[in-house]
């Protein structure tokens, strides 16, 4: 699995999850929340043996 994070102008982070199989997932994330910290904490939990994690990130509706 590859995860690509791209910082965008005006407080946005584009996250692209590319699994080895299946469809890729694109998540536009607002910096209203601390998405980078959320991702890092959940990856650490997985590394320490957690079998499942939940990531919560805020987005905003597209106009």
């Amino acid at each position: 699995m590859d995860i690509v994070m791209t910082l965008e102008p005006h407080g946005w982070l584009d996250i692209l999850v590319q699994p080895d199989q299946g469809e890729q997932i694109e998540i536009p994330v607002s910096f209203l929340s601390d998405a980078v910290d959320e991702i890092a904490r959940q990856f650490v939990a997985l590394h320490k043996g957690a079998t499942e994690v939940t990531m919560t990130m805020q987005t905003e509706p597209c106009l």
Side-chain angles (χ1 to χ4, degrees), residues 6 10 12-13 17 20 31 34 38 40-41 43 48 53 60:
T6 306
H10 310 294
W12 286 96
L13 175 68
V17 180
D20 294 333
F31 277 124
D34 193 352
E38 177 75 5
R41 286 188 304 110
F43 281 143
K48 288 183 175 181
V53 296
E60 294 180 13

Side-chain angles (χ1 to χ4, degrees), residues 18-46:
Q18 300 170 316
D20 294 333
Q21 298 178 354
E23 293 185 38
Q24 68 182 19
I25 301 166
E26 186 174 350
I27 308 165
V29 178
S30 170
F31 277 124
L32 294 174
S33 62
D34 193 352
V36 175
D37 179 66
E38 177 75 5
I39 292 167
R41 286 188 304 110
Q42 300 306 343
F43 281 143
V44 167
L46 289 170

Side-chain angles (χ1 to χ4, degrees), residues 2-22:
D2 289 327
I3 299 174
V4 179
M5 295 185 283
T6 306
L7 292 173
E8 299 293 341
H10 310 294
W12 286 96
L13 175 68
D14 284 337
I15 300 173
L16 183 62
V17 180
Q18 300 170 316
D20 294 333
Q21 298 178 354

